[in-house]
Amino acid sequence: MPLAGHGLRPTPLRRRVGRPQLKRDPLGIHTHSTMHVGTDVKDLSAKSLLPFVPSGKNYEASRRLFADLGFEEVWENNGYAGFRNGGAEFILQRFDDEHFAQNFMVRLNVDDLDRWWETISRRGLDQTYPGVRFSGPTDHPWGREVNLIDLAGVCWHIGQRE
């Protein structure tokens, strides 16, 4: 029976093989993993993740904010800007949807969280960019982190990879 609206038939599920494996994800949380028949894990290996982050109402101010946070703007074109800091990259998109932004979170790992926080907190970015908010370093079950709410309302979790 076709799925409503597009005339495609559902793809049958692949049979699972073996017992689920208990593994730890990058945050140290236990997860279950099961291989599928015909799937080779190396064929699914990812190189990086490049999220599109909404700018909120003021695209230009968001570009300046991320530069002040230590990101290099690598390129800009028609409402999209590529940012990089070390191995971390994202694309800032001229997009303003408050509901979406307030439900979007990004994790950024730094080498030394306390040093990062000391440097950033001295810059007074919450005064320069009204609406930007920071929490100081806080311990959580998944690790220590600083939270940043950017101009769009996106919550950035800045942490230190152990």
Side-chain angles (χ1 to χ4, degrees):
M1 161 183 256
L3 297 175
H6 56 64
L8 299 176
R9 296 186 180 277
T11 304
L13 296 175
R14 291 183 166 185
R15 183 175 59 89
R16 292 179 183 246
V17 176
R19 296 181 55 207
Q21 301 291 317
L22 190 60
K23 296 184 177 183
R24 287 186 184 267
D25 71 3
L27 295 176
I29 299 169
H30 285 100
T31 59
H32 291 280
S33 172
T34 303
M35 288 294 299
H36 293 276
V37 172
T39 301
D40 191 346
V41 175
K42 67 181 177 201
D43 293 339
L44 304 176
S45 178
K47 293 292 182 189
S48 66
L49 183 64
L50 191 68
F52 284 73
V53 176
S55 67
K57 290 178 177 51
N58 193 334
Y59 174 70
E60 296 303 326
S62 286
R63 289 173 64 195
R64 289 190 304 273
L65 169 65
F66 288 110
D68 287 346
L69 285 166
F71 285 90
E72 173 191 7
E73 186 172 307
V74 181
W75 57 267
E76 199 283 335
N77 185 17
N78 199 27
Y80 296 90
F83 284 89
R84 178 184 310 136
N85 182 336
E89 297 180 89
F90 70 96
I91 297 173
L92 183 69
Q93 178 182 9
R94 181 182 289 136
F95 181 70
D96 182 26
D97 183 327
E98 188 175 332
H99 180 74
F100 173 81
Q102 290 179 351
N103 287 283
F104 186 59
M105 294 184 269
V106 179
R107 168 77 181 212
L108 174 67
N109 291 316
V110 296
D111 288 330
D112 183 333
L113 181 64
D114 292 321
R115 194 166 127 223
W116 184 92
W117 172 243
E118 182 182 320
T119 302
I120 290 299
S121 62
R122 282 187 301 207
R123 294 185 180 181
L125 298 178
D126 52 344
Q127 302 300 315
T128 305
Y129 300 97
V132 168
R133 299 185 313 274
F134 289 95
S135 71
T138 306
D139 293 321
H140 299 280
W142 55 88
R144 185 171 166 81
E145 63 181 32
V146 169
N147 293 132
L148 154 69
I149 305 298
D150 71 14
L151 291 170
V154 173
C155 182
W156 290 74
H157 296 257
I158 297 91
Q160 181 175 322
R161 180 156 285 201
E162 298 300 327

